[in-house]
Amino acid sequence: MTPAAAPFPPAGPALTAGSPDPNGPQVCDDMTVEVALAVMAGARTGHLIVCDHDDQRTGLVTRAQLTTARAGAAYTDRLRLRDLRVDGGPVPAPRPRAA
């Protein structure tokens, strides 16, 4: 018997700061840029919702913002999401999950 290879699910459409998935991945603002990029790659998403230590949504960061920060002259491997100017606009509340 040959085991069937389970294909990865197709990557979702690229999301921008203007159209975030309110149930998308949430990360703490003390996460480094490198780790955030790895989380994005693993989650196959183009954005992360940034939260503070009280789990309050503080903004949204996109892959483009993180890539730009990493390419900047002031970048170090200790640069954290809270050090970036993330989209401080209203972050949508999560949608209730269907039962």
Side-chain angles (χ1 to χ4, degrees), residues 32-94:
T32 64
V33 168
E34 287 298 320
V35 173
L37 284 167
V39 168
M40 271 189 199
R44 295 182 176 198
T45 186
H47 78 283
L48 296 172
I49 298 170
V50 181
C51 297
D52 62 14
H53 286 285
D54 295 324
D55 287 332
Q56 297 297 311
R57 295 169 179 222
T58 59
L60 180 81
V61 66
T62 64
R63 183 184 321 268
Q65 288 172 310
L66 295 179
T67 306
T68 300
R70 186 173 61 179
Y75 175 76
T76 70
D77 61 353
R78 296 181 182 193
L79 184 64
R80 304 203 179 269
L81 296 180
R82 74 169 67 107
D83 300 329
L84 301 176
R85 291 185 56 198
V86 297
D87 175 22
V91 180

